[in-house]
């Protein structure tokens, strides 16, 4: 029996190392920390445009998502909740929709009205050029930008509310 436990423990250890390696490789495919991001004006769901320059001085939590993305749908209520909680501490949330441009206004409007009305002030439409600049190849993809607009963290894939909170608190530290 002890030999079985030893083999089992070694198997879990190896699986953990493989998982960490895969996560690191996925992070390496995103924009590197310290990169200053270019200014890209984006159309807002509620009208007008928004650019990163308008958010200078705030930590930006930029989430690339789509209405058809199941993990995005599951994660979005936590993002909105945390955005509201941390706004007074200098966090700006931007929910960059990657729905097809032809249908984005309609499907985002339907999603906001039916599922998450509190999302409305945060939604913008991210063009293909913006998605390429941020190396968005899967959804959701979440970036944190510091008060000067430089990348400080990025994650591809959904996270728990606790994990998002931890990243927000780290991003907000002076």
């Amino acid at each position: 029996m002890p030999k079985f436990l030893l083999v089992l423990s070694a198997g879990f250890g190896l699986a953990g190392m493989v998982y960490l390696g895969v996560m690191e490789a996925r992070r390496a495919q995103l924009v590197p920390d310290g990169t200053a991001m270019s200014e890209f004006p984006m159309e807002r769901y509620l009208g007008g445009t928004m650019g990163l320059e308008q958010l200078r001085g705030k930590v930006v939590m930029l989430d690339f998502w789509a209405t058809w993305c199941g993990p995005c749908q599951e994660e979005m209520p936590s993002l909105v909740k945390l955005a509201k909680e941390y706004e007074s501490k200098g966090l700006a949330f931007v929910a960059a929709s990657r729905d097809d441009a032809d249908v984005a206004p309609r499907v985002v409007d339907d999603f906001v009205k039916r599922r998450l009305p509190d999302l409305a002030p945060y939604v913008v439409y991210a063009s293909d050029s913006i998605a390429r600049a941020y190396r968005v190849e899967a959804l959701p993809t979440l970036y944190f930008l510091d008060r000067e607009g430089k990348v400080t963290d990025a994650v591809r894939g959904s996270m728990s509310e606790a994990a998002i909170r931890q990243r927000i608190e780290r991003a907000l530290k002076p």
Side-chain angles (χ1 to χ4, degrees):
M1 187 61 129
K3 198 174 203 179
F4 171 75
L5 291 176
L6 183 61
V7 170
L8 186 62
S9 295
F12 281 128
L14 181 60
M17 287 177 25
V18 168
Y19 174 78
L20 291 174
V22 168
M23 294 308 289
E24 184 61 30
R26 288 176 72 190
R27 174 62 180 103
Q29 296 170 352
L30 296 168
V31 176
D33 290 354
T35 303
M37 297 309 294
S38 300
E39 177 65 18
F40 289 104
M42 295 177 269
E43 295 295 318
R44 296 179 68 99
Y45 166 72
L46 295 177
T49 59
M50 192 264 327
L52 293 178
E53 187 62 37
Q54 294 169 264
L55 302 175
R56 290 283 190 253
K58 296 183 180 193
V59 169
V60 177
M61 179 171 65
L62 174 60
D63 182 55
F64 291 92
W65 69 289
T67 58
W68 49 261
C69 167
C72 301
Q73 292 175 19
E74 291 175 25
E75 184 179 63
M76 193 57 74
S78 293
L79 290 170
V80 170
K81 175 187 171 191
L82 293 169
K84 288 180 172 201
E85 184 179 330
Y86 285 94
E87 276 176 335
S88 65
K89 296 176 180 156
L91 182 73
F93 176 42
V94 179
S97 169
R98 288 295 299 140
D99 288 284
D100 291 333
D102 299 347
V103 297
R106 181 177 51 78
V107 297
V108 168
D109 186 57
D110 185 58
F111 181 85
V112 167
K113 287 178 176 172
R114 289 179 186 235
R115 300 202 49 186
L116 196 56
D118 289 345
L119 176 62
Y122 306 110
V123 176
V124 297
Y125 302 105
S127 66
D128 291 344
S129 61
I130 293 169
R132 276 192 302 276
Y134 282 90
R135 301 180 187 174
V136 176
E137 297 172 4
L139 299 174
T141 296
L142 181 67
Y143 277 92
F144 286 92
L145 308 176
D146 68 14
R147 289 171 172 81
E148 286 80 45
K150 294 179 183 173
V151 173
T152 61
D153 194 6
V155 179
R156 185 173 285 144
S158 62
M159 292 184 291
S160 69
E161 185 175 316
I164 298 167
R165 179 183 303 279
Q166 184 179 34
R167 288 175 185 273
I168 289 170
E169 290 180 1
R170 187 171 56 227
L172 286 171
K173 286 188 178 175

